[in-house]
Amino acid sequence: PELRAWLGSTASKMTPPELIKTLLQAPVDLLYNGGIGTYVKASSQSHQEANDRGNDILRVDASQLKARVIGEGGNLGLTQKGRIEFALNGGRIFTDAIDNSAGVDCSDHEVNIKILLAGLIRRGDMTGKQRDVLLASMTDAVASLVLADNYQQTQAIALEAAAGAGLIEVHGRLIRHLEARGALHRSIEFLPDDKGLAERAQQKRGLTAPEIAVLLAYAKIALKETLLASSLPDSEDVHQLLVAYFPAPLLAHCRELLPAHPLRRDIIATQLVNRLVNRMGTTFVMQLGDETGASAAQVAGAWYAASSVLDAEALWQEIESLDLVIDATRQLALMTGLRAMLAAATPLVLTQHLRGTRIAQLMTEYGSAVVATIGRIRQGRSGAVAITALIDERAAIVAAFERVNLARACGCPLNDVTEALAILEGRIDLDWLAAAVSRLPAGNRWQARARAQLGSELAGLRQHLLRQVLGGSLPATAEASVVLDELKGNEPQDLAMLSAGLAEIRRLLVL
């Protein structure tokens, strides 16, 4: 009777197929499938489309599921259309590839570790039996690396899914970008066509997690191919990515063999792609490339430098350590804020990287100013309070990167530039104008370029005025401030308004 009540059934007995079909529709928190078989399809699909005739008698529609979460321990437990329907109805689900990726990741580590150890055996530094003992001793260390990779990957999907309709336009751009490269066929992957994307936008709905999971995979594949075709994986500046891939017990035995690993470039490229896409999302590289004209490898190099300067991995881990400690919505907001901080810092680093400055040199040039700013904000704070303060003060942290750029352009000490900037900002609020430019929409490549160009013109104006202040001359800013106040009073500001306003401000200040 208790089971009948739970399942909402009046049947006193069931055949095994009837029982399984009923259990699939049970009101549970988690429905976890294993083994082989496609048990859920979309209500718009026929059983033939599920391509699993042996389970036609068991299969249910996604609209019939009452589970809150689905975990796919087996492959093809649901059709992709079924996953999308379940997600659109409010269910939590990724894909079988995402849910099973830790197994693939573990095998990847195993193969690359054995390749490295083979070098020790060949030169007589280790016997086969010693190798086996060492492999067994690294079980937990490898598991930790693998779990971290997969935690971050699902976290990336969850962050984009939470953003919802706010990303639908840029997701559409990425889909079209990948299609233009011949890397993606959206009909095969059941991604919305342009009409479907427009309908989602009208409904204020974004892509579902299963759709984002597919997009994430293709974004990673395309970026890895691009990086492997560049010289970035050969740079000594990213060698630490190779070191971080292997467990510490292994490095104690054969760290010196890492540069000779035959898959060294592939490991470095994969590590960089995973970090970058997991931390910044599927569209970051494309968007920054559209804005600046930089190659994917140049964007990746600048991001790695900015991330290293900020010690961003440690910041991410601080937020992740708050699982079940703070509200999940607040935790997602901290992650989104950290992503925004990196997204704002990377273009500032990229301007120098495009001029030929190496990653290691970039890390050195920005390091002290950024670390000092972070230290000032952290002072006297710890735990959730400290990381929240850093995210809340991210504009001040990003400003440290900008000050370094200005000091370099003006050829003056950083302290002098900081003092001169304070004087300048007391006379005219260029920070507001910069923030207004950054808020401009960039729905396509040309809007992105126009926004970036406007930002570049504003940076040039700030640099020009800063040189005057450093030279002991205070610019007359009264008339320009009137124009700026007029811009502030006309909301929302659009590209034409800000472009014309900046041109007028430049005319008044420069001529």
Side-chain angles (χ1 to χ4, degrees):
E2 292 86 352
L3 282 172
R4 285 203 300 270
W6 175 56
L7 294 172
S9 173
T10 58
S12 59
K13 58 184 177 181
M14 292 180 180
T15 64
E18 288 172 338
L19 177 59
I20 293 171
K21 190 167 186 174
T22 304
L23 285 170
L24 286 169
Q25 300 171 69
V28 294
D29 285 340
L30 172 67
L31 173 61
Y32 181 88
N33 82 291
I36 299 170
T38 303
Y39 300 100
V40 182
K41 67 178 182 65
S43 53
S44 61
Q45 290 181 298
S46 67
H47 286 292
Q48 187 175 1
E49 288 178 88
N51 197 29
D52 177 27
R53 291 186 61 187
N55 286 306
D56 286 355
I57 193 172
L58 309 174
R59 193 172 301 111
V60 299
D61 290 345
S63 59
Q64 297 174 283
L65 297 172
K66 299 182 184 70
R68 298 175 65 192
V69 180
I70 293 180
E72 295 191 64
N75 293 324
L76 303 173
L78 295 82
T79 66
Q80 179 66 356
K81 280 189 173 181
R83 295 184 188 108
I84 294 167
E85 181 175 291
F86 178 70
L88 286 171
N89 288 334
R92 299 299 183 95
I93 187 171
F94 293 117
T95 64
D96 51 356
I98 294 295
D99 288 353
N100 286 290
S101 66
V104 179
D105 194 353
C106 191
S107 297
D108 184 77
H109 277 81
E110 179 187 358
V111 169
N112 285 313
I113 287 170
K114 286 180 176 177
I115 288 173
L116 201 60
L117 291 175
L120 289 179
I121 293 173
R122 275 195 304 270
R123 69 186 193 186
D125 291 345
M126 180 177 284
T127 65
K129 187 174 290 187
Q130 288 172 324
R131 184 205 72 161
D132 294 345
V133 171
L134 178 59
L135 285 172
S137 73
M138 292 189 292
T139 300
D140 289 344
V142 171
S144 295
L145 291 170
V146 168
L147 288 172
D149 285 346
N150 287 271
Y151 177 105
Q152 292 163 17
Q153 182 166 256
T154 51
Q155 177 177 278
I157 298 168
L159 277 170
E160 294 204 19
L167 289 177
I168 194 67
E169 285 190 6
V170 71
H171 276 152
R173 281 170 55 199
L174 178 60
I175 290 170
R176 290 186 287 273
H177 171 77
L178 292 169
E179 278 188 317
R181 291 184 50 168
L184 171 69
H185 299 281
R186 71 173 100 179
S187 59
I188 293 176
E189 299 294 350
F190 302 106
L191 290 168
D193 57 18
D194 288 346
K195 181 182 177 183
L197 289 168
E199 289 173 353
R200 295 273 185 101
Q202 287 180 339
Q203 298 164 356
K204 299 193 183 306
R205 302 187 80 162
L207 294 182
T208 63
E211 293 167 315
I212 294 169
V214 169
L215 208 50
L216 178 116
Y218 279 98
K220 286 186 174 183
I221 291 168
L223 181 56
K224 182 181 176 183
E225 288 176 353
T226 302
L227 294 188
L228 285 174
S230 76
S231 61
L232 182 57
D234 302 307
S235 171
E236 182 63 28
D237 297 342
V238 295
H239 177 72
Q240 183 57 33
L241 289 167
L242 181 65
V243 176
Y245 173 83
F246 291 100
L250 180 71
L251 296 175
H253 287 81
C254 50
R255 190 185 186 111
E256 76 281 1
L257 295 179
L258 292 183
H261 197 294
L263 297 176
R264 174 184 55 82
R265 296 184 88 253
D266 294 83
I267 294 171
I268 289 172
T270 301
Q271 283 281 90
L272 182 52
V273 166
N274 277 335
R275 281 201 191 181
L276 200 165
V277 178
N278 287 348
R279 294 314 194 187
M280 302 305 294
T282 57
T283 65
F284 173 74
V285 173
M286 178 199 69
Q287 285 182 282
L288 192 49
D290 282 350
E291 288 183 14
T292 63
S295 70
Q298 289 168 327
V299 171
W303 174 83
Y304 182 72
S307 182
S308 299
V309 168
L310 288 165
D311 196 12
E313 276 303 303
L315 299 180
W316 279 108
Q317 289 165 21
E318 278 190 62
I319 299 173
E320 290 161 359
S321 71
L322 299 174
D323 282 352
L324 306 180
V325 175
I326 64 173
D327 180 77
T329 303
R330 182 182 167 203
Q331 191 180 20
L332 284 172
L334 291 174
M335 291 176 181
T336 301
L338 180 52
R339 181 178 282 187
M341 185 196 299
L342 279 160
T346 301
L348 296 170
V349 177
L350 182 59
T351 58
Q352 305 304 328
H353 194 39
L354 290 174
R355 293 172 184 150
T357 308
R358 287 185 50 187
I359 292 172
Q361 187 179 345
L362 290 168
M363 291 162 59
T364 299
E365 289 187 3
Y366 292 104
S368 58
V370 174
V371 168
T373 303
I374 290 174
R376 176 180 57 78
I377 296 170
R378 272 193 184 277
Q379 193 170 18
R381 297 184 173 105
S382 61
V385 174
I387 193 67
T388 300
L390 288 174
I391 301 305
D392 289 344
E393 294 286 334
R394 60 182 176 271
I397 295 171
V398 172
F401 285 88
E402 189 171 17
R403 288 198 304 274
V404 172
N405 281 2
L406 287 168
R408 186 176 190 181
C410 296
C412 294
L414 186 61
N415 288 340
D416 292 352
V417 168
T418 301
E419 291 174 8
L421 273 174
I423 294 170
L424 180 61
E425 291 303 327
R427 298 179 67 84
I428 184 165
D429 193 1
L430 294 182
D431 282 347
W432 176 89
L433 190 53
V437 170
S438 71
R439 289 193 297 268
L440 288 172
N444 59 50
R445 177 184 178 187
W446 301 111
Q447 286 179 335
R449 285 284 178 94
R451 183 176 70 180
Q453 179 60 35
L454 203 57
S456 178
E457 290 172 8
L458 177 56
L461 174 61
R462 192 194 298 267
Q463 194 179 117
H464 172 82
L465 297 174
L466 187 62
R467 282 197 174 100
Q468 289 185 335
V469 176
L470 287 166
S473 172
L474 294 178
T477 58
E479 290 183 90
S481 291
V482 170
V483 175
L484 196 55
D485 289 339
E486 186 178 345
L487 288 173
K488 290 180 180 180
N490 285 273
E491 293 186 350
Q493 296 85 17
D494 58 23
L495 177 63
M497 186 190 305
L498 292 177
S499 182
L502 178 58
E504 179 66 8
I505 290 169
R506 287 179 65 194
R507 185 185 69 79
L508 291 169
L509 290 174
V510 176
L511 293 181

